[in-house]
Amino acid sequence: MTITEYERIKVEQLKTSALGECIDLASSALGSSIVAVTDEFFAPATNMINPAPPIHAPGKFVETGAWMDGWESKRHNPNYDWAIIKLGYPGSFKGFDIDTHYFTGNQAPFASVEGAFVEADGDAQAANVKWTEILPKVELPPTQHNLFVLKSETTVYTHLRLNNIPDGGIARFRAYGRISPVWPEDKNALIDLAFCGYGGRAVEVSNQHYTPGSNILLPGRGKNMGDGWETKRSRTPNHTDHVTIRLGAKGHLLKAVVDTSNYCGNYPHKLVLKATLSDEEVPAEDADWTTLIEPASTGPDGLFYFDLPHSDKVFSHAKVILIPDGGLKRLRLFGVREGAVVPSVPVDVTI
């Protein structure tokens, strides 16, 4: 790549840029991990892939010096430092945020990003691994988001290498892209078609006041309310909030599981689930939506199972609607891909 093949944008442009429709593939919430790092004397590289925003703690000290919520290497590197991230799911990339928040004079002054595809159980540091530059050397001003949009989406990689040039601190590293799904060999397998690991994506969210709607598609059941989706309180009569999900593949939806774990006083009063078939990223306003769950009650801190009608229909998108507002931890939409044998309903699933 050449230096002309990316654009630096302001953080205010993030949601409306090409990165706004992506997910952070480097996030530890997706199972991504640091597998090698040259130096983390002041602060560990794992901090960089924490999905939570960095914390500022002036006056807090540890044995090595000031406590910093990021990755910080020691001074005077004659070459440069680097950290290798094994992605939880392989994917292609559209851009990055190399965030230097609260590193006011000790930030890495420059950085670059490389990618590699490593076979399962392979060693990312092996001599035969080919690393390709994705983002060339860029300048990192202190204590701010540093967002870069690539002119062209990359090929699929399993690992990223962030180069810290020559040394210093990076608060967070966000790698915005799309997961490349690895489907079960059995075409008839019952899977969660909304799951981000199969390419499910939140393509429209009415309100993300507290946390993003895309969180409901993450793996696992999360740790707390911070990794679910929560909207602000509504005072408007007949208000609703929603997330529109583009399924990882078109298919038949058979069972929904709504998870409100940790939402003990702010779960939705009721919810509705609808689905449609569309080739658009976001279905048109006049799209024909089929109701799969009529207004149904949920409850605090639990799992709620719904057998879905219309199993003969093929859908590409689903929309979960909260009445009037509130929070969800996860939404699972179990079904089979288009062309599979549709099992008799109801189906049994385990969360």
Side-chain angles (χ1 to χ4, degrees), residues 155-219:
T155 188
V156 173
Y157 296 110
T158 61
H159 291 69
L160 295 177
R161 182 162 63 194
L162 176 61
N163 298 316
N164 176 338
I165 305 170
D167 53 52
I170 295 170
R172 294 292 186 269
F173 177 58
R174 309 300 190 204
Y176 293 105
R178 299 175 186 264
I179 287 174
S180 179
V182 179
W183 300 105
E185 292 184 8
D186 182 2
K187 175 79 173 182
N188 301 320
L190 184 71
I191 59 173
D192 176 8
L193 288 169
F195 177 44
C196 68
Y198 288 131
R201 291 181 289 116
V203 294
E204 182 194 22
V205 186
S206 63
N207 184 278
Q208 304 183 93
H209 184 77
Y210 291 107
T211 43
S214 58
N215 280 355
I216 64 175
L217 311 180
L218 291 174

Coordinates of all heavy atoms in Angstrom, one line a residue, residues 155-219:
T155 N -7.9 -8.0 2.2 CA -8.2 -9.4 2.1 C -8.4 -9.9 3.6 O -8.4 -9.1 4.5 CB -7.1 -10.2 1.5 OG1 -7.5 -11.5 1.3 CG2 -5.8 -10.1 2.3
V156 N -8.7 -11.2 3.7 CA -9.0 -11.7 5.0 C -7.7 -12.1 5.8 O -6.8 -12.7 5.2 CB -9.9 -13.0 4.9 CG1 -10.1 -13.7 6.2 CG2 -11.2 -12.6 4.3
Y157 N -7.6 -11.7 7.0 CA -6.5 -12.0 7.9 C -6.9 -12.7 9.2 O -8.1 -12.5 9.6 CB -5.7 -10.7 8.2 CG -5.1 -10.0 7.0 CD1 -5.5 -8.8 6.6 CD2 -4.0 -10.6 6.3 CE1 -5.0 -8.2 5.5 CE2 -3.4 -10.0 5.2 CZ -3.9 -8.8 4.8 OH -3.4 -8.1 3.7
T158 N -6.0 -13.4 9.8 CA -6.3 -14.0 11.1 C -5.5 -13.3 12.2 O -5.9 -13.5 13.4 CB -5.9 -15.5 11.1 OG1 -4.4 -15.6 10.8 CG2 -6.6 -16.3 10.0
H159 N -4.5 -12.6 11.8 CA -3.6 -11.9 12.8 C -3.3 -10.5 12.4 O -3.2 -10.2 11.1 CB -2.3 -12.7 13.0 CG -2.4 -14.0 13.7 ND1 -3.0 -15.1 13.1 CD2 -2.0 -14.4 14.9 CE1 -3.0 -16.1 13.9 NE2 -2.4 -15.7 15.0
L160 N -3.2 -9.6 13.3 CA -2.7 -8.3 13.0 C -1.4 -8.0 13.9 O -1.3 -8.5 15.0 CB -3.7 -7.2 13.4 CG -5.0 -7.2 12.6 CD1 -6.0 -6.2 13.2 CD2 -4.8 -7.0 11.1
R161 N -0.5 -7.2 13.3 CA 0.6 -6.7 14.1 C 0.6 -5.2 14.1 O 0.7 -4.6 13.1 CB 1.9 -7.2 13.4 CG 3.2 -6.9 14.2 CD 4.4 -7.7 13.9 NE 4.8 -7.5 12.5 CZ 5.6 -8.4 11.8 NH1 6.1 -9.4 12.5 NH2 5.9 -8.2 10.6
L162 N 0.5 -4.7 15.3 CA 0.5 -3.2 15.5 C 2.0 -2.8 15.9 O 2.5 -3.3 16.9 CB -0.4 -2.8 16.6 CG -0.4 -1.3 17.0 CD1 -0.8 -0.5 15.8 CD2 -1.4 -1.1 18.2
N163 N 2.5 -2.0 15.1 CA 3.9 -1.5 15.3 C 3.9 -0.2 16.0 O 3.3 0.8 15.5 CB 4.6 -1.4 14.0 CG 4.8 -2.7 13.2 OD1 5.1 -3.7 13.9 ND2 4.5 -2.7 11.9
N164 N 4.5 -0.1 17.2 CA 4.6 1.0 18.1 C 6.0 1.7 17.8 O 7.0 1.2 18.2 CB 4.5 0.5 19.5 CG 4.6 1.6 20.6 OD1 5.2 2.6 20.3 ND2 4.1 1.3 21.7
I165 N 6.0 2.8 17.1 CA 7.2 3.3 16.5 C 7.6 4.7 17.2 O 6.9 5.6 17.0 CB 7.1 3.6 15.0 CG1 6.6 2.3 14.3 CG2 8.3 4.1 14.4 CD1 6.2 2.4 12.8
P166 N 8.8 4.7 17.9 CA 9.6 3.6 18.2 C 9.2 2.9 19.5 O 9.6 1.8 19.8 CB 11.0 4.3 18.4 CG 10.7 5.6 18.9 CD 9.4 6.0 18.3
D167 N 8.5 3.6 20.4 CA 8.1 3.1 21.7 C 7.0 4.0 22.3 O 6.7 5.1 21.7 CB 9.3 2.9 22.6 CG 10.1 4.2 22.8 OD1 9.5 5.2 23.1 OD2 11.3 4.1 22.6
G168 N 6.5 3.7 23.4 CA 5.5 4.6 24.1 C 4.2 3.9 24.3 O 4.1 2.7 24.4
G169 N 3.1 4.7 24.4 CA 1.8 4.3 24.8 C 0.7 4.4 23.8 O 0.7 5.3 23.0
I170 N -0.1 3.4 23.8 CA -1.3 3.3 22.9 C -2.5 2.9 23.8 O -2.4 1.8 24.4 CB -1.2 2.4 21.7 CG1 -0.1 2.9 20.8 CG2 -2.5 2.2 21.0 CD1 0.3 2.0 19.7
A171 N -3.5 3.7 24.0 CA -4.6 3.4 24.9 C -5.5 2.2 24.4 O -5.7 1.3 25.1 CB -5.4 4.6 25.2
R172 N -5.9 2.4 23.2 CA -6.8 1.4 22.6 C -6.5 1.2 21.1 O -6.1 2.2 20.4 CB -8.3 1.7 22.8 CG -8.8 1.8 24.2 CD -8.9 0.4 24.8 NE -9.5 0.4 26.1 CZ -8.8 0.5 27.3 NH1 -7.5 0.7 27.2 NH2 -9.5 0.4 28.4
F173 N -6.7 0.0 20.6 CA -6.6 -0.3 19.2 C -7.8 -1.0 18.7 O -8.2 -2.0 19.2 CB -5.4 -1.3 19.0 CG -5.2 -1.7 17.6 CD1 -5.0 -0.7 16.6 CD2 -5.2 -3.0 17.2 CE1 -4.8 -1.1 15.2 CE2 -5.0 -3.4 15.9 CZ -4.8 -2.5 14.9
R174 N -8.5 -0.3 17.8 CA -9.8 -0.8 17.2 C -9.5 -1.1 15.8 O -9.0 -0.2 15.0 CB -10.9 0.3 17.3 CG -11.1 0.9 18.7 CD -11.4 -0.2 19.7 NE -11.9 0.4 21.0 CZ -11.8 -0.2 22.1 NH1 -11.3 -1.5 22.2 NH2 -12.2 0.4 23.3
A175 N -9.8 -2.3 15.3 CA -9.6 -2.7 14.0 C -11.0 -3.0 13.3 O -11.6 -4.0 13.6 CB -8.8 -4.0 14.0
Y176 N -11.5 -2.1 12.6 CA -12.8 -2.1 12.0 C -12.9 -2.9 10.8 O -12.2 -2.6 9.8 CB -13.3 -0.7 11.8 CG -13.5 0.1 13.1 CD1 -12.6 1.1 13.4 CD2 -14.6 -0.1 13.9 CE1 -12.8 1.8 14.6 CE2 -14.8 0.6 15.1 CZ -13.9 1.6 15.4 OH -14.0 2.3 16.6
G177 N -13.8 -3.9 10.8 CA -13.9 -4.7 9.6 C -15.1 -5.6 9.6 O -16.1 -5.4 10.4
R178 N -15.1 -6.7 8.8 CA -16.1 -7.7 8.7 C -15.6 -9.0 9.0 O -14.5 -9.4 8.4 CB -16.8 -7.6 7.3 CG -17.4 -6.3 7.0 CD -17.9 -6.3 5.5 NE -18.4 -5.0 5.1 CZ -19.7 -4.7 5.1 NH1 -20.6 -5.5 5.5 NH2 -20.1 -3.5 4.6
I179 N -16.3 -9.8 9.7 CA -15.9 -11.2 10.0 C -16.1 -12.0 8.7 O -17.1 -11.8 8.0 CB -16.7 -11.8 11.1 CG1 -16.3 -11.2 12.5 CG2 -16.7 -13.3 11.2 CD1 -17.1 -11.6 13.7
S180 N -15.2 -12.9 8.4 CA -15.3 -13.9 7.4 C -15.8 -15.2 8.0 O -15.0 -15.9 8.6 CB -14.0 -14.1 6.7 OG -14.1 -15.0 5.6
P181 N -17.1 -15.5 7.8 CA -17.6 -16.7 8.6 C -17.0 -18.0 8.2 O -16.7 -18.2 7.0 CB -19.1 -16.7 8.2 CG -19.4 -15.3 7.7 CD -18.1 -14.9 7.0
V182 N -16.8 -18.9 9.1 CA -16.4 -20.3 8.9 C -17.7 -21.1 9.2 O -18.0 -21.3 10.4 CB -15.2 -20.7 9.8 CG1 -14.9 -22.1 9.5 CG2 -14.0 -19.8 9.5
W183 N -18.4 -21.6 8.2 CA -19.6 -22.2 8.4 C -19.5 -23.7 8.8 O -18.4 -24.3 8.4 CB -20.5 -22.2 7.1 CG -20.8 -20.8 6.7 CD1 -20.2 -20.1 5.6 CD2 -21.7 -19.9 7.2 NE1 -20.8 -18.8 5.5 CE2 -21.7 -18.7 6.5 CE3 -22.6 -20.0 8.3 CZ2 -22.5 -17.6 6.8 CZ3 -23.5 -18.9 8.6 CH2 -23.4 -17.7 7.8
P184 N -20.4 -24.3 9.5 CA -20.4 -25.7 9.8 C -20.4 -26.5 8.4 O -21.0 -26.1 7.5 CB -21.7 -26.0 10.5 CG -22.1 -24.6 11.1 CD -21.6 -23.6 10.1
E185 N -19.7 -27.6 8.4 CA -19.6 -28.4 7.2 C -21.0 -29.0 6.9 O -21.4 -29.1 5.7 CB -18.7 -29.6 7.4 CG -17.2 -29.2 7.5 CD -16.3 -30.3 7.6 OE1 -16.7 -31.5 7.4 OE2 -15.0 -30.1 7.8
D186 N -21.8 -29.2 7.9 CA -23.2 -29.7 7.7 C -24.1 -28.5 7.4 O -24.4 -27.7 8.2 CB -23.7 -30.4 9.0 CG -25.1 -31.0 8.8 OD1 -25.7 -30.9 7.7 OD2 -25.6 -31.5 9.8
K187 N -24.6 -28.5 6.1 CA -25.4 -27.4 5.6 C -26.7 -27.3 6.5 O -27.3 -26.3 6.6 CB -25.8 -27.6 4.2 CG -26.8 -26.7 3.5 CD -26.1 -25.4 3.2 CE -27.1 -24.5 2.4 NZ -26.5 -23.2 2.0
N188 N -27.1 -28.5 7.0 CA -28.4 -28.5 7.7 C -28.3 -28.2 9.2 O -29.2 -28.3 10.0 CB -29.0 -29.9 7.6 CG -29.3 -30.3 6.2 OD1 -29.7 -29.4 5.4 ND2 -29.0 -31.5 5.8
A189 N -27.1 -27.8 9.7 CA -26.8 -27.6 11.1 C -27.7 -26.4 11.6 O -27.8 -25.4 10.9 CB -25.3 -27.3 11.3
L190 N -28.2 -26.5 12.8 CA -28.9 -25.4 13.4 C -27.9 -24.5 14.0 O -27.1 -24.8 14.9 CB -29.9 -26.0 14.5 CG -30.8 -25.0 15.2 CD1 -31.9 -24.6 14.3 CD2 -31.4 -25.7 16.5
I191 N -28.0 -23.2 13.6 CA -27.0 -22.2 14.0 C -27.7 -20.9 14.4 O -28.9 -20.7 14.0 CB -25.9 -21.9 13.0 CG1 -26.5 -21.4 11.7 CG2 -25.1 -23.2 12.7 CD1 -25.5 -21.0 10.6
D192 N -27.0 -20.0 15.1 CA -27.5 -18.7 15.4 C -27.2 -17.8 14.2 O -26.1 -17.3 14.0 CB -26.9 -18.2 16.6 CG -27.2 -16.7 17.0 OD1 -28.1 -16.2 16.3 OD2 -26.6 -16.2 17.9
L193 N -28.2 -17.5 13.3 CA -27.9 -16.8 12.1 C -27.7 -15.3 12.4 O -27.2 -14.6 11.5 CB -29.1 -16.9 11.2 CG -29.3 -18.3 10.5 CD1 -30.7 -18.4 9.8 CD2 -28.2 -18.5 9.5
A194 N -28.0 -14.8 13.6 CA -27.7 -13.4 13.9 C -26.3 -13.2 14.5 O -25.8 -12.1 14.7 CB -28.7 -12.9 14.9
F195 N -25.6 -14.3 14.9 CA -24.4 -14.2 15.6 C -23.3 -13.5 14.8 O -23.1 -13.8 13.6 CB -23.9 -15.7 16.0 CG -22.6 -15.8 16.6 CD1 -22.2 -15.0 17.7 CD2 -21.7 -16.8 16.2 CE1 -21.0 -15.1 18.3 CE2 -20.5 -16.9 16.9 CZ -20.1 -16.1 17.9
C196 N -22.5 -12.6 15.4 CA -21.5 -11.9 14.7 C -20.4 -12.8 14.1 O -19.8 -12.6 13.1 CB -20.9 -10.8 15.6 SG -19.9 -11.5 17.0
G197 N -20.2 -14.0 14.8 CA -19.2 -14.9 14.3 C -19.6 -15.6 13.0 O -18.7 -16.1 12.3
Y198 N -20.9 -15.5 12.6 CA -21.3 -16.0 11.3 C -21.6 -14.8 10.4 O -22.3 -15.0 9.3 CB -22.6 -16.9 11.5 CG -22.3 -18.2 12.1 CD1 -23.0 -18.7 13.1 CD2 -21.2 -19.0 11.6 CE1 -22.8 -20.0 13.7 CE2 -21.0 -20.2 12.2 CZ -21.7 -20.7 13.2 OH -21.5 -22.0 13.7
G199 N -21.2 -13.6 10.8 CA -21.3 -12.5 9.9 C -22.6 -11.7 10.2 O -22.9 -10.7 9.4
G200 N -23.3 -12.0 11.2 CA -24.5 -11.1 11.5 C -24.0 -9.7 12.0 O -23.0 -9.6 12.7
R201 N -24.8 -8.7 11.6 CA -24.4 -7.3 11.8 C -25.6 -6.5 12.2 O -26.6 -6.6 11.6 CB -23.6 -6.7 10.6 CG -22.3 -7.3 10.4 CD -21.6 -6.7 9.2 NE -22.2 -7.1 7.9 CZ -22.8 -6.2 7.1 NH1 -22.9 -5.0 7.4 NH2 -23.3 -6.7 6.0
A202 N -25.4 -5.6 13.1 CA -26.4 -4.6 13.4 C -26.2 -3.4 12.4 O -25.2 -2.8 12.4 CB -26.2 -4.0 14.8
V203 N -27.2 -3.3 11.5 CA -27.1 -2.3 10.4 C -27.9 -1.0 10.7 O -27.7 0.0 9.9 CB -27.5 -2.9 9.0 CG1 -26.5 -4.0 8.7 CG2 -28.9 -3.5 9.1
E204 N -28.8 -1.0 11.7 CA -29.5 0.1 12.0 C -29.9 0.0 13.5 O -30.4 -1.0 13.9 CB -30.8 0.3 11.2 CG -31.6 1.5 11.4 CD -33.0 1.5 10.8 OE1 -33.5 0.4 10.5 OE2 -33.6 2.6 10.7
V205 N -29.7 1.1 14.2 CA -30.0 1.1 15.7 C -30.7 2.5 16.0 O -30.1 3.5 15.6 CB -28.8 0.9 16.6 CG1 -29.2 0.8 18.0 CG2 -28.0 -0.3 16.1
S206 N -31.8 2.4 16.6 CA -32.6 3.6 16.9 C -31.9 4.5 18.0 O -31.9 5.7 17.9 CB -34.0 3.3 17.3 OG -34.0 2.6 18.6
N207 N -31.3 3.9 19.0 CA -30.7 4.6 20.1 C -29.6 3.8 20.7 O -29.8 2.6 21.0 CB -31.8 4.9 21.1 CG -31.3 5.8 22.3 OD1 -30.7 5.3 23.2 ND2 -31.5 7.1 22.2
Q208 N -28.5 4.4 21.0 CA -27.3 3.7 21.6 C -26.7 4.6 22.7 O -25.5 4.8 22.8 CB -26.2 3.4 20.5 CG -26.8 2.6 19.4 CD -25.7 2.2 18.4 OE1 -25.1 1.1 18.5 NE2 -25.5 3.1 17.4
H209 N -27.6 5.2 23.5 CA -27.2 6.2 24.5 C -26.2 5.6 25.4 O -25.2 6.3 25.7 CB -28.5 6.7 25.2 CG -28.1 7.8 26.2 ND1 -27.9 9.1 25.8 CD2 -28.0 7.8 27.6 CE1 -27.7 9.8 26.9 NE2 -27.7 9.1 28.0
Y210 N -26.4 4.4 25.9 CA -25.4 3.9 26.9 C -24.4 2.9 26.2 O -23.2 3.0 26.5 CB -26.2 3.2 28.0 CG -26.9 4.1 28.9 CD1 -28.3 4.2 28.8 CD2 -26.3 4.9 29.8 CE1 -29.0 5.1 29.7 CE2 -26.9 5.8 30.6 CZ -28.3 5.9 30.5 OH -29.0 6.8 31.4
T211 N -24.9 2.0 25.4 CA -24.0 1.0 24.8 C -24.6 0.6 23.4 O -25.8 0.8 23.1 CB -24.0 -0.3 25.7 OG1 -25.3 -0.6 26.2 CG2 -23.1 -0.1 26.9
P212 N -23.7 0.1 22.5 CA -24.1 -0.1 21.1 C -25.0 -1.3 20.9 O -24.9 -2.3 21.6 CB -22.7 -0.3 20.4 CG -21.8 -0.7 21.5 CD -22.2 0.0 22.8
G213 N -25.9 -1.2 20.0 CA -26.8 -2.3 19.6 C -26.1 -3.5 19.1 O -26.6 -4.6 19.3
S214 N -24.9 -3.3 18.5 CA -24.2 -4.5 18.0 C -23.8 -5.5 19.1 O -23.4 -6.6 18.8 CB -23.0 -4.0 17.2 OG -22.1 -3.2 18.0
N215 N -23.7 -5.0 20.4 CA -23.3 -5.9 21.5 C -24.2 -7.1 21.6 O -23.8 -8.2 22.1 CB -23.3 -5.1 22.8 CG -22.1 -4.3 23.0 OD1 -21.2 -4.3 22.2 ND2 -22.1 -3.5 24.0
I216 N -25.5 -7.0 21.2 CA -26.4 -8.2 21.4 C -26.0 -9.4 20.5 O -26.6 -10.4 20.7 CB -27.9 -7.8 21.2 CG1 -28.1 -7.3 19.7 CG2 -28.3 -6.7 22.2 CD1 -29.6 -7.0 19.5
L217 N -25.1 -9.2 19.6 CA -24.7 -10.2 18.7 C -23.4 -10.9 19.0 O -22.9 -11.8 18.4 CB -24.6 -9.7 17.2 CG -25.8 -8.9 16.7 CD1 -25.6 -8.4 15.3 CD2 -27.1 -9.7 16.8
L218 N -22.8 -10.4 20.1 CA -21.5 -10.9 20.6 C -21.5 -12.3 21.1 O -22.6 -12.8 21.5 CB -20.9 -9.9 21.6 CG -20.5 -8.5 21.2 CD1 -20.1 -7.7 22.4 CD2 -19.3 -8.6 20.2
P219 N -20.4 -13.0 21.2 CA -20.4 -14.3 21.7 C -20.5 -14.3 23.3 O -20.3 -13.3 23.9 CB -19.0 -14.9 21.4 CG -18.1 -13.6 21.1 CD -19.1 -12.6 20.6

